[in-house]
Amino acid sequence: MQSGVVQMMEESKDHLVGGRTNQTRAFPRRLLQLLMLFLLLCFTFSVASIYMIKYFGFHSIVPTVKPSLQPCIEEEWKNIELWINPPSNLLHTMNDKELVWRASMAPKIKKYPFKRDPKIAFMFLTKGPLPLAPIWERFFKRHQGFYSIYIHSLPSFEADFPASSVFYKRQIPSQVTEWGKMSMCDAERRLLANALLDISNEWFVLLSESCIPIYNFNVIYKYISQSKHSFVGAFDDPGPFGRGRYDENMLPEVNISQWRKGSQWFEISRKLALYIVEDTKFYPKFAEFCRPACYVDEHYFPTMLTIQASNLLANRSITWVDWSRGGAHPATFGISDITEEFMKRMLGERSCMYNDRNTSVCYLFARKFSPSALEPLFLLAPKYLGF
């Protein structure tokens, strides 16, 4: 009986071993079938992908990005006109820091790769209207392309020049200014910075609403364009209204021997205009330590430019004024003052230096004229002013 049981156990054992062997052989076969199916799918996908790329390419997937960027890039770079044309609208949204940063950019290569007619930028620092505009309209007539105009007025003032006027839409974003304070120099820097945005502006003249030209456009353009110097009044006044306004806190940037005084009304080259708008060295000192009775508009630019480029300064103004009546301000002329005798006196021969030689033509502009002076000036201009 025991031998029968042993025999049955042996048969059962052989059966189990045989079953496991069959299962082991079946499992690799199924695994191999799955692997082959996976490879077949991969191959099919690869062939399909190559087909899609060959016949459709990646551009069929990406083109939605390209239109949003490419036109902007092409429009900005494809034509140099976009870099050399003046701004079409002077009423931009830049603040002063953004404006002077943008205006301070200058090409390092001096030779321009395009035809450039250098212009004079006439910058009017006013409170509001330009009552002598008809005189200027006649002065500018037939000289388009050789001048540009910028007006800094009170922010609340809305000009009503007709579309035919040379002053139409020539106002820049402005701020309130106070005589004798840094806000006055800020306004002048603002005018310069806006004018520098036009790469054709080569010379910059600061004027007020009470100024007139006392020669025709051709004479003034030739005088300014052929000068080796910029016309900035800058002299050393040892008295109480000169060195007497100096503050030792200006050191070390400015010592008293460098302190200068001069007229607010100037004419400067593009190079000096860049010096003014990019200045961060002298501006803080004058803003803090030149306050009334130190009148910063009489000292900041003359002193800074003397330190940085004294060899480029004529050390005189080309704007005539009359101090003969005395007082803190020059004389203002009205309708009763404008006679032929007055015109002869204003234009009388003088002596000054021009390009290191003596000349009798020392002034190109004059002030101060009230609105009532317009009519007699307009009548006498053809005979005495040449326009």
Side-chain angles (χ1 to χ4, degrees):
M1 182 176 178
Q2 288 180 350
S3 59
V5 172
V6 171
Q7 184 178 358
M8 290 177 63
M9 291 178 63
E10 291 292 338
E11 290 176 355
S12 177
K13 182 178 179 182
D14 291 341
H15 177 74
L16 290 171
V17 172
R20 289 176 182 172
T21 302
N22 292 336
Q23 289 178 359
T24 303
R25 291 174 181 172
F27 179 72
R29 190 178 299 116
R30 286 196 295 272
L31 182 61
L32 186 59
Q33 290 172 348
L34 291 172
L35 181 60
M36 292 297 292
L37 180 61
F38 176 75
L39 292 174
L40 181 61
L41 289 173
C42 288
F43 177 76
T44 303
F45 179 78
S46 299
V47 171
S49 298
I50 293 171
Y51 177 84
M52 293 288 289
I53 293 170
K54 181 177 180 181
Y55 288 93
F56 297 97
F58 286 112
H59 62 274
S60 63
I61 302 172
V62 184
T64 53
V65 178
K66 185 177 178 181
S68 63
L69 297 177
Q70 194 69 14
C72 177
I73 295 172
E74 287 184 355
E75 188 67 20
E76 185 174 352
W77 287 97
K78 72 181 180 181
N79 196 335
I80 196 172
E81 296 295 327
L82 295 169
W83 292 91
I84 64 178
N85 284 341
S88 58
N89 186 0
L90 296 184
L91 294 177
H92 53 74
T93 58
M94 289 184 284
N95 59 38
D96 280 357
K97 287 185 178 180
E98 294 168 338
L99 174 63
V100 297
W101 177 83
R102 173 64 184 86
S104 66
M105 297 180 182
K108 297 299 182 182
I109 298 176
K110 300 305 179 185
K111 187 176 181 180
Y112 293 93
F114 53 89
K115 185 180 184 298
R116 177 180 182 261
D117 292 320
K119 298 190 294 187
I120 300 176
F122 292 84
M123 308 179 302
F124 291 85
L125 181 58
T126 78
K127 294 180 179 179
L130 292 175
L132 303 176
I135 291 281
W136 288 100
E137 295 273 5
R138 183 192 282 177
F139 169 77
F140 287 122
K141 192 174 182 180
R142 293 188 297 274
H143 296 289
Q144 189 173 5
F146 292 93
Y147 68 87
S148 53
I149 295 171
Y150 302 86
I151 303 171
H152 186 294
S153 58
L154 290 173
S156 58
F157 174 71
E158 295 184 8
D160 59 352
F161 296 108
S164 59
S165 171
V166 296
F167 297 104
Y168 181 66
K169 290 188 175 181
R170 301 311 298 172
Q171 284 181 281
I172 65 168
S174 306
Q175 295 184 28
V176 174
T177 61
E178 294 182 75
W179 180 76
K181 296 187 178 180
M182 201 59 174
S183 60
M184 185 68 72
C185 293
D186 289 336
E188 294 168 15
R189 294 179 85 211
R190 204 172 291 126
L191 280 163
L192 286 169
N194 278 278
L196 281 167
L197 297 181
D198 184 346
I199 201 166
S200 292
N201 286 332
E202 187 63 29
W203 306 282
F204 305 79
V205 180
L206 184 67
L207 303 157
S208 75
E209 68 269 33
S210 67
C211 288
I212 63 166
I214 57 176
Y215 290 96
N216 65 44
F217 187 92
N218 290 330
V219 171
I220 289 178
Y221 186 91
K222 183 178 180 181
Y223 194 98
I224 289 175
S225 64
Q226 294 186 0
S227 174
K228 297 190 298 185
H229 302 98
S230 290
F231 296 97
V232 177
F235 60 94
D236 183 3
D237 179 359
F241 303 114
R243 289 197 179 196
R245 296 173 176 175
Y246 176 79
D247 188 321
E248 290 186 354
N249 286 303
M250 300 292 290
L251 291 169
E253 286 78 9
V254 181
N255 63 57
I256 194 167
S257 66
Q258 298 169 316
W259 187 254
R260 294 292 183 271
K261 181 180 179 180
S263 169
Q264 175 185 5
W265 314 104
F266 58 74
E267 179 280 324
I268 57 175
S269 66
R270 189 173 185 90
K271 182 176 183 178
L272 297 190
L274 283 167
Y275 282 160
I276 290 174
V277 300
E278 69 188 15
D279 173 47
T280 57
K281 178 181 179 181
F282 300 99
Y283 182 95
K285 288 285 186 173
F286 279 91
E288 185 172 0
F289 300 114
C290 184
R291 300 181 179 182
C294 176
Y295 299 105
V296 68
D297 55 287
E298 296 180 0
H299 296 282
Y300 174 32
F301 296 158
T303 300
M304 182 194 72
L305 293 177
T306 296
I307 294 171
Q308 292 193 312
S310 61
N311 62 310
L312 299 179
L313 303 183
N315 291 327
R316 64 181 178 91
S317 173
I318 50 174
T319 300
W320 178 82
V321 292
D322 183 359
W323 290 95
S324 63
R325 299 179 184 180
H329 301 282
T332 299
F333 304 106
I335 187 171
S336 61
D337 297 300
I338 312 304
T339 63
E340 295 205 22
E341 288 302 315
F342 171 84
M343 300 295 280
K344 291 176 184 178
R345 179 168 67 88
M346 180 177 67
L347 297 168
E349 284 196 9
R350 295 174 175 85
S351 180
C352 58
M353 299 298 292
Y354 176 80
N355 288 343
D356 303 321
R357 294 182 178 182
N358 283 315
T359 180
S360 60
V361 179
C362 300
Y363 299 106
L364 304 181
F365 309 96
R367 64 188 300 269
K368 301 170 56 173
F369 296 92
S370 69
S372 68
L374 173 61
E375 184 178 351
L377 284 172
F378 200 79
L379 293 174
L380 292 172
K383 180 178 179 179
Y384 289 97
L385 306 184
F387 62 90

